[in-house]
């Protein structure tokens, strides 16, 4: 019965747009290029607990440049108080909210990223609608409904 449920869920992924399972942008923990990684900000990052933090422009919070990978901070000294722009940001792939969950799963499986930005203007300026991670898709497959 569980097997049947999972197979049914896999088939459903083809027809389900990522917009249905994304985390909406207003709920996403982000930083700007100009934010200073001092103790206060790093404590905030640790408090939120996410591994990937999308980074936007200070003047336009719907315009994203990449993501800060929190594990980079293992060797970082908060006394240096550097702005986010001094870090090597990870690539933040962008796609349309109409992308199917199956397509995004295949993309994640290719191993380039485990988080993507959903945008009404993918590859262009602005238009951020939310983020989706591998976890969100897996949740659709095997999560409690
Ligand atoms: P990992 O498990 O690899 O450490 P994580 O715990 O940071 O990563 P995921 O497990 O990929 O995050 O995702 C868990 C949930 O959190 C998903 O619903 C995802 O959309 C959401 N999420 C991921 N990053 C953020 C973020 N920066 N702000 C808000 N929500 C996020
Ligand atoms: P993330 O992608 O969330 O940063 P990660 O890259 O550390 O996590 P996973 O993507 O979960 O690790 O796993 C990738 C592969 O590395 C898996 O085959 C897993 O078993 C293996 N792996 C994970 N942690 C370790 C570790 N500490 N030592 C050796 N292999 C590991």
């Amino acid at each position: 019965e569980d097997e049947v449920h999972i197979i049914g869920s896999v088939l459903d992924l083809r027809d389900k747009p990522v917009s249905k399972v994304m985390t909406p942008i207003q709920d996403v923990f982000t930083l700007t290029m100009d934010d200073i990684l001092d103790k206060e900000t790093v404590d905030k990052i640790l408090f939120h607990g996410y591994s990937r933090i999308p980074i936007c422009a200070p003047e336009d919070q719907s315009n994203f440049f990449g993501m800060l990978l929190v594990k980079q901070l293992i060797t970082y000294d908060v006394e240096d108080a550097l702005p986010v722009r001094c870090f090597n940001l990870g690539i933040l792939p962008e796609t349309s909210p109409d992308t199917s969950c199956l397509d995004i799963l295949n993309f994640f499986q290719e191993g380039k990223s485990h988080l993507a930005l959903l945008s009404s203007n993918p590859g262009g300026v602005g238009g951020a609608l939310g983020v989706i991670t591998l976890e969100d898709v897996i949740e659709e497959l095997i999560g409690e409904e």
Side-chain angles (χ1 to χ4, degrees), residues 23 27-29 49-54 115 131-133 135-136:
T23 297
D27 297 337
V28 179
F29 178 64
Y50 298 112
S51 296
R52 301 166 194 90
I53 304 174
L115 180 149
V131 300
I132 184 149
T133 71
E135 169 102 3
D136 291 316

Side-chain angles (χ1 to χ4, degrees), residues 90-143:
I91 290 169
L92 178 59
E94 292 186 23
T95 189
S96 147
D98 303 328
T99 306
S100 79
C101 286
L102 189 61
D103 286 346
I104 204 81
L105 179 59
N106 278 316
F107 175 78
F108 288 149
Q109 189 61 26
E110 286 167 17
K112 283 165 215 135
S113 176
H114 281 172
L115 180 149
L117 184 78
L118 305 175
S119 169
S120 59
N121 184 23
V125 173
L129 299 170
V131 300
I132 184 149
T133 71
L134 184 57
E135 169 102 3
D136 291 316
V137 181
I138 300 294
E139 177 82 8
E140 284 306 298
L141 283 178
I142 56 174

